[in-house]
Amino acid sequence: MSETETSSATAAPTDLYLDTAASEAVSRAAIEAMLPFLTEAYGNPSSVHAEGATAARALEAARASFAADLGAHPGDVVFTSGGTESDNLAIKGVALAQVRRENAARDAAAAGVGSTSAASACANPEHTAHPRRILISAVEHPAVAESAQWLHDFFGFDVVRIPVDAQAHLDLAALEREAQRGASLACVMMANNEVGTVEPVAQAVRICHGAGVPVHVDAVQAAGTIPVDFRGLDADTMAVSGHKFGAPKGLGALLVRGRTPIEPLISGGGQERGLRSGTQNVAGAVALAVALHEACETMERNSTALAASRDALVRAVLEAVPTARVTGDPVHRLPGHASFVFPGVTGEALLVDLDARGIEVSSGSACAVGRHEAPGTLLAMGLSEVEAKAAIRFSFRAPLADADIRRIAAALRASLIALHVPGIE
């Protein structure tokens, strides 16, 4: 046997990356699309000369394409640095718009001219006063939960957490009760990042709008994976992050309906409808639009196969590890997302052992880096702290080969045996 043949025969198998819910590789098409705007058409889109006009046209073409793939209008799109900024802008911006209205009404009343402008505002149901309350589901991403907490800490907003059931579905009856009491904003994620459950967002929006409460939707895990229709949902704002569907990190968008009062968090030259000042990243916007369009086309072709692959992985894992439990909704979940609890071991220990075996997974939200507490989503679903710390998430954007599924199941079992988990031999 030759040296080349020996090397090939003994080479370790390629690592399996199963953490696309955290991030995935940048699409080759996105890289190629953005390059000309880094090296050739690099003008500032706010400039009036030819280079600036070229950049501005590319920016608006990207905005139109991006909007079309999310069921939005081009004017709805505010380009940002990603999901966290978008969530912050939506939640803080909508709440601060209410604070501005309250201050204006107070100042007008103090000046003795209160009736005209106040009456005008109250005539528009979108601008009526709300109590300073933010409704969020108990399983929201930290970008949502921490933004709401910031409003509590600095402006006295009450943060009301709406419970979920054992599969992480939002309790719509509880949401309706709280919405009827009034609120500045309700926040609902479209799909859960930790357990993959797809939430009843359409019903939640109808309930909240029926009570006059605007709705922010975190679609970070959904965009490019399941169909998203911003205008069809009638949501008021929606957050999207590019690195979940093949765009470079640091790119995202907030969709904002023109009817929605919202204040900017960044002051400056007034770009992006005055909501996100700063020179626009034209290359990034182009990459974001191309990556989303490619992801949506792939979704249409592969969604059924991806869900079948997920289900095959679930079956293989449960056969290899009978003590494992699936978390989240077993049916109404993201197609490339499978999550489990493995009693008798911590998720951190298991993922480290799996990583050594070439299986790259997650034990929770990647945005909770450095933390070792139990995942809040699983606690909200009713799991104990010990159970919640035994969670592992597998996420992928392309169907898995049968051989890879067998390899994953075998590696899981081997890891649990190596970690001396009771009942696994």
Side-chain angles (χ1 to χ4, degrees):
M1 182 179 291
S2 70
E3 182 178 342
T4 302
E5 290 171 328
T6 302
S7 175
S8 175
T10 60
T14 304
D15 286 355
L16 284 176
Y17 181 75
L18 301 169
D19 197 19
T20 58
S23 195
E24 71 166 319
V26 178
S27 153
R28 175 58 57 182
I31 293 172
E32 292 175 355
M34 73 187 297
L35 275 176
F37 299 96
L38 296 172
T39 60
E40 300 167 17
Y42 47 77
N44 187 319
S46 296
S47 298
V48 298
H49 49 59
E51 284 290 343
T54 298
R57 285 193 297 271
L59 180 68
E60 295 315 309
R63 195 186 308 276
S65 172
F66 188 81
D69 283 326
L70 295 174
H73 293 175
D76 298 333
V77 179
V78 176
F79 289 121
T80 69
S81 65
T84 292
E85 182 188 343
S86 297
D87 283 329
N88 272 259
L89 175 55
I91 297 163
K92 295 175 182 177
V94 168
L96 292 177
Q98 176 176 325
V99 172
R100 178 188 285 274
R101 295 194 302 273
E102 291 172 357
N103 290 344
R106 183 194 62 220
D107 293 346
V113 296
S115 59
T116 304
S117 60
S120 174
C122 291
N124 184 343
E126 296 295 335
H127 294 257
T128 54
H130 299 287
R132 288 193 180 188
R133 302 173 77 231
I134 305 294
L135 311 182
I136 67 172
S137 84
V139 295
E140 291 299 316
H141 188 276
V144 170
E146 292 299 322
S147 293
Q149 185 62 39
W150 184 87
L151 288 167
H152 168 77
D153 293 344
F154 290 97
F155 292 92
F157 281 75
D158 290 332
V159 180
V160 180
R161 288 171 171 78
I162 307 300
V164 297
D165 66 15
Q167 295 182 346
H169 300 117
L170 182 67
D171 184 335
L172 293 175
L175 177 65
E176 185 167 20
R177 286 194 299 271
E178 294 297 342
Q180 290 295 335
R181 294 181 57 196
S184 307
L185 183 69
C187 305
V188 182
M189 60 171 35
M190 183 169 285
N192 186 267
N193 55 310
E194 294 190 49
V195 299
T197 297
V198 176
E199 297 290 348
V201 176
Q203 298 97 306
V205 171
R206 287 196 295 270
I207 287 169
C208 291
H209 282 181
V213 176
V215 180
H216 170 61
V217 175
D218 183 334
V220 166
Q221 289 294 330
T225 301
I226 59 176
V228 174
D229 186 352
F230 177 60
R231 289 272 175 157
L233 279 175
D234 198 29
D236 298 279
T237 59
M238 178 180 285
V240 178
S241 185
H243 72 103
K244 308 296 187 181
F245 52 75
K249 297 174 183 67
L251 300 173
L254 179 67
L255 308 183
V256 186
R257 296 290 292 271
R259 70 191 182 198
T260 306
I262 184 170
E263 290 291 318
L265 303 185
I266 299 174
S267 301
Q271 291 90 342
E272 297 298 303
R273 289 170 45 191
L275 292 176
R276 214 273 185 167
S277 290
T279 302
Q280 289 110 323
N281 180 353
V282 177
V286 169
L288 191 70
V290 168
L292 178 62
H293 190 68
E294 186 177 47
C296 289
E297 289 185 330
T298 301
M299 172 180 65
E300 292 178 2
R301 295 193 306 268
N302 288 355
S303 184
T304 300
L306 190 59
S309 186
R310 173 204 65 200
D311 294 343
L313 175 62
V314 169
R315 290 192 298 270
V317 168
L318 295 179
E319 181 177 347
V321 187
T323 56
R325 292 162 45 199
V326 176
T327 57
D329 190 312
V331 177
H332 299 292
R333 66 186 302 135
L334 294 171
H337 193 298
S339 54
F340 305 86
V341 165
F342 295 95
V345 68
T346 66
E348 293 290 339
L350 182 53
L351 79 83
V352 168
D353 195 89
L354 285 172
D355 188 43
R357 299 174 191 273
I359 309 296
E360 298 175 341
V361 298
S362 171
S363 62
S365 172
C367 296
V369 63
R371 302 178 187 175
H372 300 287
E373 64 263 24
T377 291
L378 298 176
L379 296 177
M381 292 163 58
L383 277 70
S384 70
E385 185 170 344
V386 171
E387 291 172 321
K389 284 185 175 180
I392 289 288
R393 175 186 72 186
F394 301 81
S395 55
F396 42 94
R397 288 276 183 167
L400 300 172
D402 291 343
D404 288 336
I405 292 174
R406 290 193 296 270
R407 177 184 166 195
I408 294 163
L412 259 175
R413 186 170 181 84
S415 288
L416 294 169
I417 291 171
L419 294 168
H420 307 293
V421 174
I424 307 297
E425 300 175 353

